[in-house]
Amino acid sequence: MSKKQRAFLKWAGGKFKLIEALTEHLPEGQRLVEPFVGAGSVFLNTDYSSYLLCDINKDLINLYKIIQKEPEKYIAAAKAMFVPEMNEKEAYYRVRAEFNLSTDPFLRSVYFLYMNRHGFNGLCRYNRKGGFNVPFGSYKKPYFPESEIRAFSEKAQKAEFKCIGYEDAFELTTSGDVVYCDPPYAPLSTTASFTTYVGTGFSLDDQALLARKSRHTAIDNGIPVLISNHDIPLTRELYHGARFDTIQVQRNISQKGSARKKVDELMALYDDRYHSEND
């Protein structure tokens, strides 16, 4: 693989560090469909003829569409936010309040990147009313990802972006597609809480529905589906019938350094073509 391309957004569960191992598991095809595009590391580091990139987060998809069409206008506006006087707690909370009141897609997209780079841990989190509620991050000098935005814009000429849920994304798949699913991680225990990205989050029912949808898409339509998740008994049970592989990864599950532990990444591939050739 040539030099890896970083995403311009910080993203919880981003796949940049796993990209070499992950792409080895992706089947060949004409178009890559991602129902959970997130920061887009897999999109940026693969070479399909075209892409269908979906996410339920409207702010994320609007941002991508704007960068796809007007990268220079966007860079100029966003870069103006990355100045010392904007790296203050009061400025951050003022921007966050304006973001939550605004309905203008361009303004929200500019503020979204600002908050992504100035907010705590690059989190993307909303309250039940849909308000962005990530606190200030107190970073010395937040990085403005200009070259990464340009690289994304260039690659995005091969992509279509849609703000839809995973079930609708599957409905748009067609022969020649490959699907890669990077859902919010399954909880490590039934009592564990995990980050709510949008609205009510991604429940255990969603994890099970996604597995079923993936299995049927591969078996009924001959479209291969790769899913990544924590390698735990729950996911191995959910993805029964898939071909499993494991990627070892250092991920910080707990904020307490002493409680950090290694949880492997499970690659579950549903590919009916594979089974028919190897049965």
Side-chain angles (χ1 to χ4, degrees):
M1 177 186 279
S2 56
K3 186 175 183 290
K4 290 198 294 182
Q5 178 60 52
R6 280 194 179 275
F8 67 88
L9 291 170
K10 294 181 177 183
W11 208 254
K15 292 295 177 282
F16 182 76
K17 289 179 181 175
L18 306 180
I19 206 72
E20 293 97 340
L22 194 154
T23 49
E24 284 177 16
H25 295 88
L26 273 170
E28 292 180 3
Q30 291 300 307
R31 181 176 71 160
L32 181 66
V33 178
E34 290 197 60
F36 309 87
V37 66
S41 286
V42 174
F43 153 64
L44 288 166
N45 291 285
T46 50
D47 191 23
Y48 290 86
S49 298
S50 61
Y51 295 83
L52 175 59
L53 306 175
C54 309
D55 205 282
I56 198 171
N57 186 323
K58 188 178 178 183
D59 290 313
L60 186 69
I61 295 300
N62 277 339
L63 168 60
Y64 289 164
K65 285 180 175 177
I66 285 166
I67 285 174
Q68 182 186 41
K69 294 181 178 73
E70 305 179 287
E72 296 308 319
K73 180 186 174 187
Y74 179 81
I75 286 168
K79 197 173 188 176
M81 304 283 292
F82 284 68
V83 290
E85 56 266 33
M86 294 304 293
N87 192 25
E88 303 282 347
K89 188 182 279 189
E90 294 76 17
Y92 176 85
Y93 288 116
R94 186 175 69 247
V95 169
R96 195 180 77 173
E98 286 177 20
F99 174 88
N100 286 332
L101 290 171
S102 176
T103 56
D104 175 61
F106 189 85
L107 184 68
R108 284 179 72 92
S109 71
V110 169
Y111 285 178
F112 189 85
L113 176 61
Y114 165 84
M115 293 188 300
N116 176 261
R117 289 280 168 178
H118 292 75
F120 181 73
N121 266 2
L123 291 175
C124 181
R125 193 182 65 197
Y126 301 78
N127 62 28
R128 287 183 180 177
K129 292 180 179 176
F132 193 88
N133 65 355
V134 176
F136 182 57
S138 297
Y139 299 109
K140 209 168 196 175
K141 190 181 179 186
Y143 172 68
F144 180 65
E146 185 168 344
S147 62
E148 291 86 346
I149 293 170
R150 285 208 172 91
F152 190 99
S153 179
E154 189 178 330
K155 186 78 181 273
Q157 303 313 308
K158 296 166 71 172
E160 181 182 7
F161 298 98
K162 283 191 177 291
C163 181
I164 52 177
Y166 68 93
E167 290 178 284
D168 290 334
F170 272 100
E171 293 303 318
L172 296 175
T173 57
T174 185
S175 179
D177 285 348
V178 173
V179 181
Y180 169 59
C181 292
D182 179 25
Y185 283 115
L188 295 174
S189 72
T190 50
T191 56
S193 63
F194 55 115
T195 307
T196 296
Y197 290 93
V198 174
T200 54
F202 204 77
S203 66
L204 284 174
D205 283 346
D206 281 309
Q207 298 280 1
L209 280 168
L210 173 64
R212 191 170 72 190
K213 201 85 177 166
S214 301
R215 194 161 54 246
H216 286 301
T217 298
I219 293 168
D220 299 342
N221 303 331
I223 296 169
V225 182
L226 178 69
I227 313 177
S228 56
N229 213 320
H230 287 318
D231 188 359
I232 52 176
L234 169 69
T235 53
R236 285 183 173 254
E237 177 66 30
L238 283 175
Y239 304 146
H240 64 270
R243 180 158 51 116
F244 292 148
D245 211 336
T246 302
I247 298 175
Q248 293 199 320
V249 57
Q250 179 71 55
R251 188 182 301 108
N252 298 332
I253 301 302
S254 169
Q255 288 184 345
K256 292 179 184 169
S258 60
R260 285 174 184 167
K261 52 185 175 177
K262 200 175 253 191
V263 178
D264 289 338
E265 190 94 1
L266 182 66
M267 296 285 132
L269 178 64
Y270 290 103
D271 191 345
D272 211 41
R273 304 170 308 174
Y274 171 81
H275 288 300
S276 59
E277 288 166 13
N278 293 276
D279 283 347

